[in-house]
Amino acid sequence: MQCPNRRQLGLSDLPRVTQLNQCAKGHGAPKAKERDQKVCIRFKCAVMNTLTDVLRCRPGWVEVKDEGEWDFYWCDVSWLRENFDHTYMDEHVRISHFRNHYELTRKNYMVKNLKRFRKQLERDVGKLEAAKCDFFPKTFELPSDYHLFVEEFRKTPGITWIMKPVARSQGKGIFLFRKLKDIMDWRKDVGRSDDQKDDIPVENYVVQRYIENPYLIGGRKFDLRVYVLVMSYIPLRAWLYRDGFVRFSNTRFTLSSIDDHYVHLTNVAVQKTSPDYDPEKGCKWMIQRFRQYLTSKHGPEAVETLFRDIDNIFIKSLQSVQKVIISDKHCFELYGYDILIDQDLKPWLLEVNASPSLAASSQEDYHLKTCLLEDTLHIVDMETRLTGKEKRVGGFDLMWNDGPVSREEEGIDTSGTGNLVANTHLGCNNDRKKQLRQLFRSLHSQTKATS
Ligand code: ADP
């Protein structure tokens, strides 16, 4: 893939250097001497893909290799684990993960936190509010919850379950089953003594109720990949990206062949190994196309409700870890949410990814990801151009700012319920270039007026 130029990234009309003529260190108004210095933001990047293209094309940003000092590091989670606690970071430095991101992004921890949060809501607010957390399929951790799982299994004979290793991704190690004997290995583990358990560590899995009635398009199952950017947990400040995509399985859905991964797992990593996979064709839809498709089938009201329920998933899942995640001002995180929709138009949260794939599988995918990353960097704002009051930056809308954010233009809901209209636009028009042009122009003239 070629490095996109400024026009492709929607940057060509933005003020080029003035915004960067501030010292990268220290947010706030630059001192006169600093203003004259040319800004150089030193970045490191742990992966080689769309992200490197975007970082390298960003005006004033310079790549640092090996042990060189950096201001911005798009690190991988293993670097974080080994280095975060021993690394001193200046005020202005930013890195791409929160210290204990796994509280949300490991399948078992995510469910544990959601269950705890649900209980807390039931206690503090009531059953109705707690029921808003019922968006993840019934889940048990194995081997620790094996007995609880067996109890549940016996209560609901004949249904399908899915086993997923907690620390793997891309569909690896996943299988479906309907009989207890299919998970014998874990049953054996429950019977082992503690000494034996130390010898061969057992891989932890979650076992989850399989959604047997997924919404189908053209007979195929799919899930949604949606991007949420968290800039802070305390207070919770989260942005939702307008674009995302729908990932289809390559093979028509059926419950009669539960061993066929091409039918049941919608991961691109799985589907692209299918013999008739064509990346430019059938496997992905932009989320806008999906929203339009649903609207034509079910009408705008049903679709509004569905998308409101999806917003609820983002907020509740983030709130469930708000007090657990170490909120550090140096950290931000771009999450990839995986959401499945069933035939009743109910959305289910499958997983939250800390390192959503930024590799592109087609031109359209490349475009989406470069724009997403550009807008992420605008919000991270190493260049200190934003005022902090923005509700929209490019394709991102501020969805939560220590409380729900309402839409600027609409304000109060006219339905008579007094509810605010949420500032979320998933699957709506993403006129990011125009918005960025306006935003940076007005910021530029504000800066000029005050200098
Ligand atoms: P991974 O981290 O390996 O991608 P996921 O939890 O995202 O694991 O599951 C992989 C795929 O399996 C999903 O994209 C989805 O198609 C399918 N899947 C996972 N859990 C369920 C479930 N409970 N019901 C139906 N399908 C599921």
Side-chain angles (χ1 to χ4, degrees):
M1 297 278 181
Q2 274 199 334
C3 187
N5 61 31
R6 286 172 58 82
R7 179 161 294 284
Q8 282 165 333
L9 291 173
L11 287 170
S12 50
D13 298 314
L14 305 184
R16 269 191 83 104
V17 182
T18 40
Q19 75 270 17
L20 297 168
N21 279 345
Q22 300 173 12
C23 182
K25 292 189 178 185
H27 286 219
K31 293 184 195 110
K33 204 169 136 203
E34 287 170 349
R35 238 183 278 135
D36 298 333
Q37 279 178 293
K38 188 162 168 50
V39 151
C40 159
I41 291 156
R42 300 160 299 176
F43 75 87
K44 260 182 103 162
C45 182
V47 283
M48 286 289 289
N49 54 34
T50 322
L51 178 61
T52 5
D53 291 349
V54 171
L55 289 167
R56 285 177 183 161
C57 287
R58 200 162 173 88
W61 287 47
V62 177
E63 191 163 9
V64 172
K65 298 270 183 203
D66 307 319
E67 298 308 307
E69 266 194 48
W70 43 270
D71 307 301
F72 177 96
Y73 189 8
W74 198 291
C75 61
D76 54 32
V77 292
S78 57
W79 179 88
L80 194 80
R81 204 168 35 239
E82 282 152 32
N83 298 286
F84 187 89
D85 297 335
H86 326 288
T87 306
Y88 170 76
M89 289 181 226
D90 271 346
E91 177 84 13
H92 73 286
V93 165
R94 295 289 176 271
I95 54 171
S96 61
H97 297 287
F98 285 93
R99 171 69 184 86
N100 53 346
H101 65 89
Y102 47 79
E103 292 285 350
L104 183 62
T105 57
R106 285 266 296 246
K107 297 174 176 74
N108 51 338
Y109 291 142
M110 177 187 90
V111 169
K112 178 196 74 182
N113 284 315
L114 278 168
K115 285 182 180 172
R116 188 181 31 76
F117 185 60
R118 192 191 187 291
K119 266 196 202 135
Q120 184 201 321
L121 280 180
E122 183 159 352
R123 210 178 41 233
D124 299 348
V125 192
K127 283 199 163 130
L128 258 176
E129 192 60 23
K132 291 186 188 161
C133 292
D134 292 338
F135 49 72
F136 57 101
K138 196 156 259 178
T139 308
F140 300 88
E141 191 171 348
L142 295 186
S144 59
D145 288 344
Y146 182 76
H147 294 294
L148 284 175
F149 165 64
V150 171
E151 217 175 279
E152 183 65 30
F153 182 92
R154 299 223 160 99
K155 270 199 245 162
T156 47
I159 68 163
T160 313
W161 294 86
I162 184 165
M163 282 282 273
K164 309 195 267 191
V166 297
R168 288 201 257 173
S169 60
Q170 303 190 320
K172 289 184 198 120
I174 295 184
F175 63 92
L176 277 61
F177 68 95
R178 291 194 186 119
K179 297 191 180 107
L180 268 186
K181 73 173 171 46
D182 294 335
I183 53 162
M184 273 307 187
D185 290 348
W186 286 270
R187 220 162 73 173
K188 278 191 213 126
D189 182 74
V190 172
R192 293 194 309 169
S193 69
D194 284 346
D195 293 354
Q196 288 168 316
K197 280 179 189 169
D198 286 343
D199 290 345
I200 321 155
V202 169
E203 187 173 12
N204 281 21
Y205 273 67
V206 290
V207 59
Q208 188 169 76
R209 192 172 176 153
Y210 186 69
I211 307 296
E212 292 182 329
N213 63 336
Y215 193 98
L216 304 178
I217 297 181
R220 283 147 217 255
K221 177 178 169 175
F222 62 86
D223 69 358
L224 311 184
R225 165 57 57 88
V226 184
Y227 299 97
V228 171
L229 174 66
V230 174
M231 293 304 295
S232 145
Y233 271 96
I234 307 222
L236 182 60
R237 199 170 155 80
W239 299 76
L240 173 63
Y241 205 62
R242 294 183 173 210
D243 297 343
F245 50 85
V246 177
R247 303 175 296 191
F248 288 96
S249 82
N250 225 19
T251 316
R252 290 180 77 81
F253 185 75
T254 165
L255 276 172
S256 54
S257 58
I258 61 169
D259 295 329
D260 189 342
H261 280 187
Y262 296 131
V263 173
H264 298 284
L265 309 190
T266 47
N267 309 66
V268 176
V270 172
Q271 295 299 328
K272 74 179 179 198
T273 64
S274 153
D276 45 355
Y277 174 75
D278 178 352
E280 294 294 338
K281 270 214 299 190
C283 261
K284 276 187 183 175
W285 269 11
M286 289 290 284
I287 217 154
Q288 280 79 0
R289 182 171 172 193
F290 171 67
R291 195 169 177 149
Q292 277 161 15
Y293 174 90
L294 283 188
T295 307
S296 69
K297 288 244 159 200
H298 304 279
E301 248 174 64
V303 175
E304 282 289 331
T305 306
L306 168 65
F307 278 74
R308 252 201 317 274
D309 291 347
I310 296 178
D311 293 345
N312 170 64
I313 291 184
F314 304 135
I315 300 303
K316 288 283 183 292
S317 59
L318 293 174
Q319 286 179 326
S320 78
V321 292
Q322 197 187 352
K323 295 200 177 118
V324 183
I325 292 213
I326 303 161
S327 187
D328 185 309
K329 63 172 182 278
H330 298 105
C331 307
F332 69 93
E333 190 124 21
L334 179 64
Y335 293 108
Y337 272 75
D338 291 346
I339 290 173
L340 187 88
I341 291 161
D342 72 17
Q343 284 167 15
D344 303 320
L345 288 185
K346 176 178 166 64
W348 296 91
L349 174 61
L350 296 183
E351 191 185 18
V352 185
N353 291 277
S355 307
S357 167
L358 297 172
S361 60
S362 65
Q363 273 305 327
E364 195 178 45
D365 204 29
Y366 185 73
H367 181 72
L368 185 156
K369 284 169 180 164
T370 49
C371 295
L372 166 76
L373 290 168
E374 259 308 318
D375 293 348
T376 301
L377 298 181
H378 290 325
I379 292 177
V380 173
D381 194 27
M382 295 299 291
E383 296 92 351
T384 64
R385 290 176 291 181
L386 304 183
T387 62
K389 296 203 176 96
E390 292 76 11
K391 281 186 175 182
R392 183 177 172 198
V393 176
F396 275 111
D397 298 290
L398 185 62
M399 143 173 85
W400 197 266
N401 188 18
D402 204 17
V405 178
S406 62
R407 272 184 213 185
E408 210 128 74
E409 64 276 27
E410 275 115 316
I412 307 291
D413 179 33
T414 48
S415 65
T417 58
N419 291 331
L420 292 179
V421 181
N423 186 39
T424 51
H425 302 262
L426 179 61
C428 298
N429 180 28
N430 185 6
D431 52 347
R432 61 179 286 280
K433 281 189 189 178
K434 189 172 145 212
Q435 198 275 340
L436 286 173
R437 245 188 331 260
Q438 282 167 357
L439 173 68
F440 284 108
R441 259 195 207 131
S442 86
L443 288 173
H444 188 51
S445 42
Q446 278 173 40
T447 318
K448 266 180 142 179
T450 54
S451 65

